[in-house]
Amino acid sequence: MEGTPYQTKEAVLKRAQELIGIPLGKIDKTKRLSQGKGGVGTAIEENWFGYKPNSESEPDFPEAGVELKATPYIRAKKASADGREIRAKERLVCNIIDYMKEYQETFYTSAFWHKCQTMLLMSYEYHKDKPKTEFTVDRAVLFSFPTEDLMIIEEDWRKIIAKIRAGQAHLITEGDTLYLAACTKGANASSVRPQPFNSIKAKQRAYSLKSSYMTRILNSYIFGNQEDEHIIKDWKEIREFGFEGTIISRLQPYYGKTQEELKRLFRITSTAKNLNEVLLAKMLGVKGKIAYTDEFLNASIIPKTIRMQQDGHIRESMSFPTFKFTEIVNETWEDSELRNYLEPAKFMFVIFQENASGENVFERVLFWNIPAEDLEQVKDVWEKTVEIIKQGVRLISDGKVIRNNLPKQKDNPILHVRPHARNAADTYPLPDGREMTKQCFWFNRTYVESIVQSGLSRTDVRYGATEEKRRIAEDRE
């Protein structure tokens, strides 16, 4: 890559800050804003900094060692439950992963680190009802990863590389990791690349920073208006055990205790529906909700309590957020709410099992993310759901209950659709103008059972923090 006139970090930042407040339409002489994703960043590169965009492994400003990234955000009308008013619109895509080369590197010689260790982040507010020509850059900062974040990012990189070395590049998903992910990158599903230890070609993927982590960067480092509660107080634990291993090592002393024993231990008298959530927070030394801690928000970790009966079966399926019928029909699978919720997510299942006396016993926690092959089955259910809604949902009443023809549990081993509403009057409009009770996707009860019973992670109680420590040491060799 040819050099640019901006030889130092200071020169790059100064030029970037001169763009703040100028409508992008005024600088877009090459009409890049009319392109799809990436149009804003490309317009800035070409028309403001004067260099041609490229896909080379070098940073955009090689002499300065700086990579330019334009990052859009959405400002909510009111803060959400976690207190964040500003949210990243999307993940931040970095560079393509060369499976044939990257596995030979260490983190600090990796393509990701070489390109992105220092980034020029130029943020702009995204408005759905405005043309891009009216968007303006409102912040420009040089960003380097804080030490505590870098520990998790390095751990994420090792997990991605471990799958490549195991000949499983085709099984990588964004949910494998916490902050740094390997997202699909290509025009369509046929964009594939060879991998070194398997003849099966793998989807082309790029290093990316999850949208949840980008939300943290925006709030904490760019706008400076967010300070979330931390679970990890001593970051040496992450270096020693990894994130999941650290959480498990904290919770293991409470395994085998009944709900009542935990209540007495933490002097809790509440019988509220969220009792297990309160107990979990106490066990981890958190004052607020676990889901709203810095680490869980950054990594899209979703805590879910699983209640097992004495025989090991689970009584309930697991619900996701409701979807709007008039919106889901305009989505593609790649950009769908369901995929963007599920693929990057890491679930932490908090498992309680009923004992012979009918008491709920805290058995263990299990970190899990959906495997690539199961995500394909989820896609099938999503596509059938969209097609049925487009064609017109059949609503059949027997005088007591109104049934529909959306996918049922018997139709797929993983996912189904059913109501998720306060009552029959809690509805969303269908595309044809009729009203229908709010619906959502659900993991089948039997699927959740299979995860708990046989899908145990290597950081489960059977292995614990010691096994996780050993695995990290192996990855570093």
Side-chain angles (χ1 to χ4, degrees):
M1 176 180 175
E2 296 182 2
T4 72
Y6 309 98
Q7 305 288 304
T8 67
K9 290 179 172 62
E10 292 74 19
V12 171
L13 181 60
K14 182 176 183 295
R15 178 59 174 165
Q17 291 177 335
E18 290 170 353
L19 182 58
I20 292 174
I22 299 175
L24 295 178
K26 289 189 175 182
I27 70 162
D28 186 28
K29 307 304 181 185
T30 56
K31 304 302 179 184
R32 291 290 191 174
L33 292 176
S34 60
Q35 295 181 341
K37 287 185 177 181
V40 170
T42 305
I44 293 172
E45 290 171 342
E46 278 191 355
N47 299 286
W48 192 251
F49 285 99
Y51 69 86
K52 289 289 184 182
N54 63 82
S55 58
E56 295 182 24
S57 58
E58 291 297 317
D60 293 322
F61 304 96
E63 294 85 1
V66 175
E67 174 75 3
L68 188 156
K69 292 295 182 185
T71 181
Y73 66 88
I74 298 171
R75 189 187 297 272
K77 293 181 180 178
K78 62 178 182 178
S80 59
D82 59 27
R84 293 180 171 183
E85 179 185 349
I86 290 172
R87 291 191 173 276
K89 179 180 178 289
E90 57 200 29
R91 64 173 72 89
L92 185 71
V93 179
C94 302
N95 47 318
I96 297 291
I97 302 172
D98 186 340
Y99 303 127
M100 304 301 289
K101 295 180 179 179
E102 192 74 348
Y103 78 94
Q104 303 175 58
E105 305 295 334
T106 67
F107 177 73
Y108 290 102
T109 63
S110 68
F112 166 76
W113 184 249
H114 180 67
K115 193 172 179 68
C116 295
Q117 60 182 293
T118 300
M119 293 184 288
L120 171 66
L121 297 181
M122 302 182 72
S123 63
Y124 62 94
E125 186 173 358
Y126 175 82
H127 296 275
K128 187 177 182 180
D129 55 349
K130 285 185 179 182
K132 291 179 182 177
T133 53
E134 295 182 19
F135 292 176
T136 59
V137 171
D138 50 28
R139 298 285 196 285
V141 301
L142 289 173
F143 176 80
S144 298
F145 298 102
T147 301
E148 61 268 26
D149 294 0
L150 192 57
M151 290 182 184
I152 292 178
I153 287 169
E154 184 179 350
E155 182 186 11
D156 288 339
W157 181 87
R158 289 197 307 270
K159 288 180 179 178
I160 294 168
I161 298 305
K163 276 202 167 179
I164 297 173
R165 289 173 179 164
Q168 297 178 350
H170 58 295
L171 299 179
I172 291 173
T173 72
E174 293 181 61
D176 292 337
T177 52
L178 300 178
Y179 295 2
L180 177 69
C183 70
T184 53
K185 180 71 172 175
N188 50 53
S190 64
S191 298
V192 294
R193 299 175 72 98
Q195 58 174 312
F197 302 108
N198 197 320
S199 60
I200 298 174
K201 289 191 174 181
K203 287 182 180 179
Q204 180 168 272
R205 290 183 178 271
Y207 290 118
S208 64
L209 299 176
K210 290 188 178 185
S211 60
S212 51
Y213 180 62
M214 287 306 301
T215 294
R216 189 277 181 93
I217 290 176
L218 284 161
N219 282 280
S220 296
Y221 303 120
I222 295 181
F223 289 91
N225 58 5
Q226 183 73 27
E227 185 59 40
D228 299 306
E229 187 175 8
H230 287 266
I231 296 176
I232 309 298
K233 307 298 191 297
D234 182 357
W235 288 94
K236 292 179 181 177
E237 290 181 278
I238 297 294
R239 178 66 67 186
E240 188 173 6
F241 299 124
F243 178 78
E244 294 174 20
T246 298
I247 297 299
I248 289 171
S249 67
R250 295 267 198 90
L251 293 173
Q252 277 184 324
Y254 304 103
Y255 287 2
K257 293 186 181 297
T258 67
Q259 199 175 62
E260 288 302 315
E261 287 174 331
L262 291 170
K263 285 174 64 177
R264 287 195 297 271
L265 181 62
F266 295 113
R267 299 179 181 178
I268 294 172
T269 58
S270 172
T271 58
K273 188 176 181 180
N274 68 337
L275 174 59
N276 289 332
E277 182 181 344
V278 173
L279 291 173
L280 183 64
K282 291 291 186 182
M283 286 185 272
L284 289 173
V286 173
K287 295 178 181 178
K289 291 186 175 182
I290 293 296
Y292 298 161
T293 57
D294 185 78
E295 297 87 356
F296 273 54
L297 286 170
N298 297 344
S300 294
I301 300 176
I302 303 170
K304 290 277 190 180
T305 296
I306 304 293
R307 297 177 181 84
M308 298 178 66
Q309 301 173 86
Q310 291 182 40
D311 60 6
H313 289 301
I314 296 169
R315 188 174 287 113
E316 300 172 342
S317 299
M318 182 180 295
S319 65
F320 296 154
T322 58
F323 57 82
K324 292 185 178 180
F325 309 115
T326 53
E327 293 181 1
I328 195 172
V329 293
N330 294 316
E331 295 177 347
T332 64
W333 166 246
E334 294 299 321
D335 294 320
S336 66
E337 283 191 12
L338 180 62
R339 179 181 179 274
N340 289 327
Y341 172 84
L342 188 54
E343 184 176 14
K346 176 81 71 174
F347 289 87
M348 186 179 82
F349 294 138
V350 184
I351 303 166
F352 282 81
Q353 180 157 16
E354 185 181 21
N355 64 17
S357 302
E359 300 173 298
N360 289 316
V361 178
F362 179 36
E363 187 185 67
R364 65 184 188 272
V365 293
L366 171 65
F367 284 93
W368 175 88
N369 59 279
I370 189 165
E373 59 268 31
D374 290 1
L375 192 62
E376 287 300 310
Q377 296 221 46
V378 168
K379 177 184 176 183
D380 289 343
V381 176
W382 181 88
E383 289 178 337
K384 289 176 183 176
T385 300
V386 171
E387 185 60 29
I388 289 170
I389 295 171
K390 285 181 177 179
Q391 291 179 355
V393 180
R394 292 201 305 269
L395 300 178
I396 306 164
S397 175
D398 61 5
K400 295 181 180 179
V401 178
I402 298 177
R403 292 181 170 80
N404 60 63
N405 62 327
L406 293 172
K408 304 294 187 291
Q409 289 196 58
K410 61 182 177 61
D411 300 327
N412 186 279
I414 294 174
L415 198 74
H416 68 282
V417 180
R418 77 168 193 258
H420 194 1
R422 295 187 300 272
N423 50 51
D426 192 13
T427 64
Y428 280 140
L430 289 163
D432 59 16
R434 294 177 297 164
E435 292 285 330
M436 183 177 176
T437 305
K438 291 178 180 177
Q439 306 279 319
C440 81
F441 294 100
W442 297 70
F443 272 154
N444 296 352
R445 175 186 60 78
T446 49
Y447 181 61
V448 179
E449 274 185 19
S450 70
I451 295 167
V452 174
Q453 293 173 357
S454 62
L456 303 178
S457 75
R458 295 185 68 187
T459 52
D460 178 69
V461 63
R462 299 185 185 184
Y463 302 95
T466 301
E467 172 67 12
E468 180 71 355
K469 181 178 179 181
R470 184 196 62 75
R471 181 187 62 76
I472 291 171
E474 286 180 350
D475 290 344
R476 284 184 175 144
E477 290 178 356

